[in-house]
Amino acid sequence: MLDINNSIITDCKLITLPRIFSDTGSLTFAQNQEHIPFEIKRVYYLYDIPAGESRGGHVHKSLIQMVIAASGSFDIILKDGYNEKNIFLNQPDLGVLIPPGIWREIANFSSGGICLVLASELYHEGDYIRDYSDFTDFKQR
Ligand code: TYD
């Protein structure tokens, strides 16, 4: 797996998850290994985000994650210290896979937007870099 120093924006992948359509609505699922290339150890979600607020300005040293717009829409801004990419997510059957070492922010939540995150690690504050200049210093090493 890519390490924090070497990961770049193009290592972030858009993954289409299965969607079962029926007259009574849709169902999407994600299974370890088949759709998610890591074992999911933790799930969290961001919701009730006030208009204009952004979340998640940080990078992980070893955690891999998949970010899904479970409801509504938002932008994910990805940065590797050299390049950046903005992905507009608005489908519950689409996930963005983010390896360690990629700075990510989540912004422009629609009303009722829910950001679901599937994570490869338990919560551990020591795995975060929350200061952008610390991150760019790290990438240049
Ligand atoms: P934080 O990572 O700052 O959220 P964001 O980057 O989206 O703005 O997390 C907010 C608070 O929640 C912080 O005190 C840490 C805590 N937290 C947990 O206790 N467990 C978790 O799984 C997560 C993601 C956060």
Side-chain angles (χ1 to χ4, degrees), residues 42-46 49 54-58 60 104 106 121-125 128 130:
R42 180 167 55 104
V43 173
Y44 66 92
Y45 35 102
L46 301 166
I49 308 298
S54 60
R55 300 290 305 236
H58 62 244
H60 284 281
R104 63 106 163 130
I106 302 175
E121 304 297 333
L122 303 179
Y123 176 72
H124 173 44
E125 186 58 35
Y128 285 72
R130 293 184 182 272

